[in-house]
Amino acid sequence: MSEPQDPGEVDAVRRRAKLHMPALKDELSGALDELEARFLRRRLRTVETACGPLARVDGQDVILLCSNNYLDLANHPALRLAATAALERYGVGAGASRLIAGSLEPVHRLERSLCRLKKAEAALVFGSGYLANLGALTALAAPGDAIFSDELNHASLIDGCRLSRAAVKVYRHCDADHLRTLLDEAGGARRRLIVTDAIFSMDGDRAPLEQIVELARRYDAAVMIDEAHAVGVFGPHGSGLAAELGLGEQIEVRVGTLSKALGAYGAYVVGSRALIDFLVNRARSFIYTTGLPPALAAAANAALEVMASEPERIARLWSNAAYLRSELAAAGFDLGRSASPILPVMVGEAGCALALTQGLYERGVFAGAIRPPTVPAGSARLRLTPTAGHDRSQLRRAVDALVEVGAQIKLVPPTSRIA
Ligand SMILES: *Cc1c(COP(=O)(O)O)cnc(C)c1O
């Protein structure tokens, strides 16, 4: 073998060598293959219908049991009508960031409605829950401050904590004693902020808000809660968990979404006038992004009206959840520590959770597998969420399918009950 001499040939060798360096897409394909091998690769499914108790997913009619559409409002005629009317009047896009040119009247009306629901001084609508959490945390905490964060907080809270560059102290899930220890150790912080989901999105359990508020008073900390899964589910007229516990006024920052029980899209922060004015000036995910489209604000406003005028929706949600919970528990499923309509069917390994999802899908029931990193390793699950829109026969079919597939994958004992 001889070394190539002429410059043209050297270039050709270099080019060939370069070809052997993996291109970005090859590296990414490798990473995806690795995820696939560990049953952690995720894929999008196509839904051809509105979000409701029944849906057509990847071409098959299924009972949809994994949406956050708790009150079955996403396709409610009143929301459609309100959105359509706003669309006709204001058009589609907000046109700009709200501080520049886009603070449309339907959004202001929605903020006034949210204040009434939450008995709050002021409200600010954001583009989404993710943006609301990012914006509030980065505005309220900075280097020199300390944030105390439940270990199972939603990813948007975790990301907000990181982006704030404050010291982040993660306490064990719902463990007020651990929180107290961390507060004890953080005396030097300029500002202390305790942040938690009100209802934990993947477990359905509730944060110990009474204890958290008490600790906050004792340690001169502020409290921020995320009521994404509490609004429309807990509290008088669906006003949330803090309201149910009579703690609304003692929690400085309350975040909620318009995208779950309320069936629309977007999110909000409620609190004092000072908090909201401060966020208008300092929350980057509010300032540097386009305002919520007016049709969505109008739909969310209509959702608040339906929630107030049709309280039976909340009652149906809870009775459906109670039915599903007792049937699944009787069949031997482990439902974790749920205290809400979010029912985690604990499976363990990601591959098993996928097998359960697939078996259910083949039987006309859709509930996607929840796997790491959304939940801790070894705690893969199906997260079942009945809504106000399901009827008993649909839930019965879902239970039968779960029992059948659950027994096949040896998650629960076989049963002779299936008739
Ligand atoms: C869904 C969710 C969010 C994000 O809300 P989006 O409006 O969907 O962005 C934030 N926090 C919690 C706890 C959630 O479950």
Side-chain angles (χ1 to χ4, degrees), residues 258-305:
L258 306 169
S259 51
K260 290 173 176 159
L262 296 176
Y265 190 71
Y268 56 88
V269 178
V270 299
S272 65
R273 183 80 253 165
L275 169 73
I276 297 309
D277 288 350
F278 185 76
L279 292 179
V280 167
N281 284 275
R282 279 287 182 273
R284 295 170 64 85
S285 65
F286 171 80
I287 300 170
Y288 298 107
T289 191
T290 302
L292 190 72
L296 286 165
N301 223 341
L304 294 176
E305 284 166 18

Short mmCIF file of all heavy atoms in Angstrom, two decimals, residues 258-305:
data_model
loop_
_atom_site.label_atom_id
_atom_site.label_comp_id
_atom_site.label_asym_id
_atom_site.label_seq_id
_atom_site.Cartn_x
_atom_site.Cartn_y
_atom_site.Cartn_z
N LEU A 258 -56.39 25.37 30.20
CA LEU A 258 -57.67 25.42 29.52
C LEU A 258 -57.84 24.19 28.63
O LEU A 258 -58.84 24.02 27.95
CB LEU A 258 -57.74 26.69 28.65
CG LEU A 258 -57.44 28.00 29.39
CD1 LEU A 258 -57.25 29.15 28.41
CD2 LEU A 258 -58.55 28.32 30.38
N SER A 259 -56.82 23.35 28.63
CA SER A 259 -56.70 22.28 27.63
C SER A 259 -57.19 20.93 28.12
O SER A 259 -57.29 20.00 27.34
CB SER A 259 -55.24 22.16 27.22
OG SER A 259 -54.42 22.06 28.39
N LYS A 260 -57.47 20.80 29.40
CA LYS A 260 -57.83 19.47 29.91
C LYS A 260 -59.34 19.44 30.17
O LYS A 260 -60.10 19.33 29.23
CB LYS A 260 -56.95 19.15 31.10
CG LYS A 260 -55.54 18.91 30.55
CD LYS A 260 -54.45 18.73 31.52
CE LYS A 260 -53.18 18.41 30.71
NZ LYS A 260 -51.96 18.69 31.43
N ALA A 261 -59.76 19.56 31.43
CA ALA A 261 -61.21 19.49 31.68
C ALA A 261 -61.96 20.53 30.87
O ALA A 261 -63.11 20.31 30.49
CB ALA A 261 -61.48 19.68 33.17
N LEU A 262 -61.33 21.66 30.57
CA LEU A 262 -62.05 22.73 29.88
C LEU A 262 -62.10 22.54 28.36
O LEU A 262 -62.74 23.32 27.65
CB LEU A 262 -61.48 24.10 30.25
CG LEU A 262 -61.66 24.44 31.75
CD1 LEU A 262 -60.98 25.76 32.10
CD2 LEU A 262 -63.14 24.50 32.11
N GLY A 263 -61.40 21.54 27.86
CA GLY A 263 -61.61 21.11 26.49
C GLY A 263 -61.09 22.04 25.39
O GLY A 263 -61.38 21.84 24.21
N ALA A 264 -60.34 23.10 25.76
CA ALA A 264 -59.88 24.04 24.73
C ALA A 264 -58.35 23.95 24.62
O ALA A 264 -57.80 22.85 24.44
CB ALA A 264 -60.35 25.45 25.05
N TYR A 265 -57.69 25.08 24.70
CA TYR A 265 -56.23 25.11 24.67
C TYR A 265 -55.78 26.40 25.32
O TYR A 265 -56.47 27.41 25.27
CB TYR A 265 -55.71 25.02 23.22
CG TYR A 265 -54.22 24.79 23.16
CD1 TYR A 265 -53.68 23.56 23.52
CD2 TYR A 265 -53.34 25.81 22.77
CE1 TYR A 265 -52.32 23.35 23.50
CE2 TYR A 265 -51.98 25.59 22.74
CZ TYR A 265 -51.47 24.36 23.11
OH TYR A 265 -50.12 24.14 23.09
N GLY A 266 -54.58 26.37 25.90
CA GLY A 266 -54.07 27.55 26.58
C GLY A 266 -54.02 27.30 28.09
O GLY A 266 -54.34 26.19 28.54
N ALA A 267 -53.60 28.31 28.83
CA ALA A 267 -53.46 28.14 30.28
C ALA A 267 -53.46 29.51 30.93
O ALA A 267 -53.56 30.54 30.24
CB ALA A 267 -52.16 27.40 30.59
N TYR A 268 -53.37 29.52 32.25
CA TYR A 268 -53.43 30.80 32.95
C TYR A 268 -52.72 30.72 34.29
O TYR A 268 -52.50 29.63 34.83
CB TYR A 268 -54.90 31.20 33.18
CG TYR A 268 -55.67 30.14 33.92
CD1 TYR A 268 -55.70 30.10 35.31
CD2 TYR A 268 -56.33 29.13 33.23
CE1 TYR A 268 -56.36 29.11 35.99
CE2 TYR A 268 -57.01 28.14 33.90
CZ TYR A 268 -57.02 28.12 35.29
OH TYR A 268 -57.65 27.12 35.95
N VAL A 269 -52.39 31.89 34.80
CA VAL A 269 -51.92 32.04 36.17
C VAL A 269 -52.90 32.98 36.85
O VAL A 269 -53.29 34.00 36.26
CB VAL A 269 -50.50 32.64 36.23
CG1 VAL A 269 -50.05 32.83 37.68
CG2 VAL A 269 -49.51 31.75 35.48
N VAL A 270 -53.34 32.65 38.06
CA VAL A 270 -54.12 33.61 38.84
C VAL A 270 -53.40 33.90 40.15
O VAL A 270 -52.65 33.07 40.66
CB VAL A 270 -55.57 33.12 39.14
CG1 VAL A 270 -56.36 32.89 37.87
CG2 VAL A 270 -55.56 31.88 40.03
N GLY A 271 -53.65 35.10 40.67
CA GLY A 271 -53.02 35.51 41.92
C GLY A 271 -53.32 36.98 42.18
O GLY A 271 -54.33 37.51 41.70
N SER A 272 -52.41 37.62 42.88
CA SER A 272 -52.61 39.04 43.21
C SER A 272 -52.41 39.89 41.95
O SER A 272 -51.79 39.47 40.97
CB SER A 272 -51.60 39.47 44.27
OG SER A 272 -50.30 39.38 43.73
N ARG A 273 -52.95 41.11 42.00
CA ARG A 273 -52.75 42.06 40.90
C ARG A 273 -51.25 42.28 40.67
O ARG A 273 -50.77 42.36 39.53
CB ARG A 273 -53.44 43.38 41.28
CG ARG A 273 -53.42 44.47 40.26
CD ARG A 273 -54.49 44.24 39.21
NE ARG A 273 -53.86 43.82 37.96
CZ ARG A 273 -54.50 43.27 36.95
NH1 ARG A 273 -55.80 43.03 37.01
NH2 ARG A 273 -53.87 42.93 35.85
N ALA A 274 -50.50 42.37 41.78
CA ALA A 274 -49.05 42.61 41.65
C ALA A 274 -48.38 41.45 40.93
O ALA A 274 -47.53 41.67 40.06
CB ALA A 274 -48.43 42.82 43.04
N LEU A 275 -48.77 40.22 41.30
CA LEU A 275 -48.17 39.05 40.63
C LEU A 275 -48.43 39.11 39.13
O LEU A 275 -47.50 38.94 38.32
CB LEU A 275 -48.78 37.76 41.20
CG LEU A 275 -48.42 36.50 40.40
CD1 LEU A 275 -46.97 36.09 40.63
CD2 LEU A 275 -49.36 35.34 40.71
N ILE A 276 -49.68 39.36 38.76
CA ILE A 276 -50.04 39.32 37.35
C ILE A 276 -49.34 40.46 36.58
O ILE A 276 -48.79 40.23 35.49
CB ILE A 276 -51.57 39.37 37.19
CG1 ILE A 276 -52.20 38.12 37.83
CG2 ILE A 276 -51.96 39.51 35.72
CD1 ILE A 276 -51.61 36.79 37.39
N ASP A 277 -49.32 41.65 37.16
CA ASP A 277 -48.63 42.76 36.48
C ASP A 277 -47.14 42.47 36.34
O ASP A 277 -46.51 42.84 35.34
CB ASP A 277 -48.86 44.07 37.24
CG ASP A 277 -50.30 44.57 37.08
OD1 ASP A 277 -51.03 44.02 36.24
OD2 ASP A 277 -50.68 45.52 37.79
N PHE A 278 -46.60 41.82 37.37
CA PHE A 278 -45.17 41.46 37.29
C PHE A 278 -44.93 40.46 36.17
O PHE A 278 -43.98 40.60 35.39
CB PHE A 278 -44.72 40.88 38.64
CG PHE A 278 -43.25 40.59 38.70
CD1 PHE A 278 -42.32 41.61 38.86
CD2 PHE A 278 -42.78 39.28 38.58
CE1 PHE A 278 -40.95 41.34 38.91
CE2 PHE A 278 -41.42 39.00 38.61
CZ PHE A 278 -40.50 40.03 38.78
N LEU A 279 -45.82 39.45 36.06
CA LEU A 279 -45.65 38.45 34.99
C LEU A 279 -45.78 39.10 33.61
O LEU A 279 -45.05 38.74 32.68
CB LEU A 279 -46.68 37.32 35.14
CG LEU A 279 -46.50 36.42 36.37
CD1 LEU A 279 -47.61 35.36 36.41
CD2 LEU A 279 -45.13 35.75 36.38
N VAL A 280 -46.69 40.06 33.47
CA VAL A 280 -46.84 40.75 32.18
C VAL A 280 -45.50 41.40 31.79
O VAL A 280 -45.13 41.45 30.62
CB VAL A 280 -47.96 41.81 32.26
CG1 VAL A 280 -47.92 42.75 31.05
CG2 VAL A 280 -49.32 41.14 32.36
N ASN A 281 -44.77 41.85 32.80
CA ASN A 281 -43.50 42.54 32.54
C ASN A 281 -42.29 41.63 32.48
O ASN A 281 -41.26 42.00 31.94
CB ASN A 281 -43.27 43.61 33.61
CG ASN A 281 -44.13 44.84 33.36
OD1 ASN A 281 -43.75 45.71 32.61
ND2 ASN A 281 -45.30 44.87 33.97
N ARG A 282 -42.41 40.43 33.10
CA ARG A 282 -41.21 39.63 33.27
C ARG A 282 -41.28 38.18 32.77
O ARG A 282 -40.24 37.53 32.66
CB ARG A 282 -40.82 39.60 34.76
CG ARG A 282 -40.06 40.83 35.23
CD ARG A 282 -38.64 40.83 34.69
NE ARG A 282 -37.87 41.96 35.14
CZ ARG A 282 -37.85 43.15 34.53
NH1 ARG A 282 -38.56 43.34 33.43
NH2 ARG A 282 -37.11 44.13 35.00
N ALA A 283 -42.48 37.68 32.49
CA ALA A 283 -42.56 36.27 32.08
C ALA A 283 -42.24 36.17 30.58
O ALA A 283 -43.05 36.56 29.73
CB ALA A 283 -43.93 35.70 32.39
N ARG A 284 -41.07 35.64 30.29
CA ARG A 284 -40.60 35.65 28.90
C ARG A 284 -41.48 34.80 27.99
O ARG A 284 -41.62 35.12 26.80
CB ARG A 284 -39.15 35.17 28.86
CG ARG A 284 -38.20 36.13 29.57
CD ARG A 284 -36.81 35.52 29.73
NE ARG A 284 -36.14 35.27 28.47
CZ ARG A 284 -35.43 36.16 27.79
NH1 ARG A 284 -35.29 37.38 28.25
NH2 ARG A 284 -34.85 35.83 26.66
N SER A 285 -42.07 33.73 28.54
CA SER A 285 -42.92 32.89 27.69
C SER A 285 -44.30 33.51 27.50
O SER A 285 -45.14 32.95 26.79
CB SER A 285 -43.06 31.50 28.31
OG SER A 285 -43.76 31.59 29.54
N PHE A 286 -44.54 34.65 28.13
CA PHE A 286 -45.73 35.45 27.84
C PHE A 286 -45.37 36.58 26.87
O PHE A 286 -46.09 36.84 25.91
CB PHE A 286 -46.30 36.05 29.13
CG PHE A 286 -47.39 37.06 28.88
CD1 PHE A 286 -48.68 36.65 28.61
CD2 PHE A 286 -47.11 38.43 28.86
CE1 PHE A 286 -49.68 37.57 28.35
CE2 PHE A 286 -48.11 39.36 28.60
CZ PHE A 286 -49.40 38.92 28.33
N ILE A 287 -44.23 37.21 27.13
CA ILE A 287 -43.85 38.41 26.37
C ILE A 287 -43.46 38.07 24.94
O ILE A 287 -43.88 38.74 23.99
CB ILE A 287 -42.67 39.13 27.08
CG1 ILE A 287 -43.09 39.55 28.50
CG2 ILE A 287 -42.20 40.33 26.27
CD1 ILE A 287 -41.94 40.04 29.36
N TYR A 288 -42.68 37.01 24.79
CA TYR A 288 -42.06 36.76 23.49
C TYR A 288 -42.76 35.67 22.70
O TYR A 288 -42.13 34.86 22.03
CB TYR A 288 -40.58 36.42 23.68
CG TYR A 288 -39.83 37.57 24.31
CD1 TYR A 288 -39.42 37.51 25.64
CD2 TYR A 288 -39.58 38.74 23.59
CE1 TYR A 288 -38.77 38.58 26.23
CE2 TYR A 288 -38.93 39.81 24.17
CZ TYR A 288 -38.54 39.73 25.48
OH TYR A 288 -37.91 40.79 26.06
N THR A 289 -44.09 35.64 22.80
CA THR A 289 -44.83 34.66 22.02
C THR A 289 -46.19 35.24 21.67
O THR A 289 -46.69 36.13 22.35
CB THR A 289 -44.96 33.33 22.82
OG1 THR A 289 -45.46 32.32 21.96
CG2 THR A 289 -45.90 33.47 24.00
N THR A 290 -46.75 34.75 20.59
CA THR A 290 -48.01 35.30 20.10
C THR A 290 -49.17 34.96 21.04
O THR A 290 -49.19 33.90 21.65
CB THR A 290 -48.26 34.71 18.70
OG1 THR A 290 -47.15 35.07 17.87
CG2 THR A 290 -49.54 35.25 18.07
N GLY A 291 -50.10 35.88 21.15
CA GLY A 291 -51.24 35.69 22.03
C GLY A 291 -52.10 34.50 21.63
O GLY A 291 -52.07 34.04 20.49
N LEU A 292 -52.87 33.99 22.60
CA LEU A 292 -53.77 32.87 22.33
C LEU A 292 -54.77 33.26 21.24
O LEU A 292 -55.33 34.35 21.27
CB LEU A 292 -54.54 32.54 23.63
CG LEU A 292 -55.35 31.25 23.63
CD1 LEU A 292 -54.42 30.04 23.69
CD2 LEU A 292 -56.31 31.22 24.82
N PRO A 293 -55.01 32.38 20.27
CA PRO A 293 -56.00 32.69 19.24
C PRO A 293 -57.38 32.99 19.87
O PRO A 293 -57.79 32.30 20.80
CB PRO A 293 -56.05 31.42 18.39
CG PRO A 293 -54.73 30.77 18.61
CD PRO A 293 -54.34 31.10 20.03
N PRO A 294 -58.08 34.01 19.38
CA PRO A 294 -59.34 34.43 20.00
C PRO A 294 -60.39 33.33 20.05
O PRO A 294 -61.16 33.25 21.02
CB PRO A 294 -59.80 35.60 19.12
CG PRO A 294 -58.99 35.50 17.86
CD PRO A 294 -57.70 34.85 18.23
N ALA A 295 -60.44 32.45 19.05
CA ALA A 295 -61.46 31.40 19.05
C ALA A 295 -61.26 30.45 20.24
O ALA A 295 -62.23 29.95 20.82
CB ALA A 295 -61.41 30.62 17.74
N LEU A 296 -60.00 30.24 20.61
CA LEU A 296 -59.74 29.34 21.74
C LEU A 296 -60.11 30.00 23.05
O LEU A 296 -60.63 29.35 23.96
CB LEU A 296 -58.28 28.91 21.72
CG LEU A 296 -58.01 27.90 20.62
CD1 LEU A 296 -56.53 27.75 20.37
CD2 LEU A 296 -58.63 26.57 20.98
N ALA A 297 -59.85 31.31 23.15
CA ALA A 297 -60.25 32.03 24.36
C ALA A 297 -61.77 31.99 24.50
O ALA A 297 -62.31 31.75 25.59
CB ALA A 297 -59.75 33.46 24.31
N ALA A 298 -62.47 32.20 23.38
CA ALA A 298 -63.93 32.19 23.42
C ALA A 298 -64.44 30.79 23.80
O ALA A 298 -65.39 30.65 24.57
CB ALA A 298 -64.50 32.62 22.06
N ALA A 299 -63.80 29.76 23.26
CA ALA A 299 -64.21 28.39 23.59
C ALA A 299 -63.99 28.10 25.07
O ALA A 299 -64.83 27.50 25.73
CB ALA A 299 -63.44 27.39 22.73
N ALA A 300 -62.87 28.55 25.59
CA ALA A 300 -62.58 28.32 27.02
C ALA A 300 -63.59 29.04 27.88
O ALA A 300 -64.05 28.52 28.90
CB ALA A 300 -61.16 28.78 27.34
N ASN A 301 -63.96 30.24 27.46
CA ASN A 301 -64.97 30.99 28.20
C ASN A 301 -66.31 30.24 28.20
O ASN A 301 -66.98 30.13 29.23
CB ASN A 301 -65.14 32.37 27.56
CG ASN A 301 -65.24 33.45 28.62
OD1 ASN A 301 -65.54 33.17 29.78
ND2 ASN A 301 -65.01 34.67 28.22
N ALA A 302 -66.66 29.70 27.05
CA ALA A 302 -67.89 28.91 26.96
C ALA A 302 -67.79 27.68 27.86
O ALA A 302 -68.77 27.27 28.50
CB ALA A 302 -68.15 28.51 25.51
N ALA A 303 -66.61 27.09 27.93
CA ALA A 303 -66.41 25.90 28.77
C ALA A 303 -66.68 26.25 30.24
O ALA A 303 -67.30 25.47 30.97
CB ALA A 303 -65.01 25.35 28.60
N LEU A 304 -66.23 27.43 30.65
CA LEU A 304 -66.47 27.84 32.05
C LEU A 304 -67.97 27.97 32.30
O LEU A 304 -68.47 27.61 33.36
CB LEU A 304 -65.76 29.16 32.34
CG LEU A 304 -64.23 29.12 32.32
CD1 LEU A 304 -63.65 30.51 32.54
CD2 LEU A 304 -63.71 28.15 33.39
N GLU A 305 -68.69 28.49 31.29
CA GLU A 305 -70.14 28.63 31.44
C GLU A 305 -70.82 27.26 31.51
O GLU A 305 -71.70 27.03 32.35
CB GLU A 305 -70.72 29.46 30.29
CG GLU A 305 -70.43 30.94 30.45
CD GLU A 305 -70.69 31.74 29.16
OE1 GLU A 305 -71.41 31.23 28.27
OE2 GLU A 305 -70.16 32.87 29.07
#
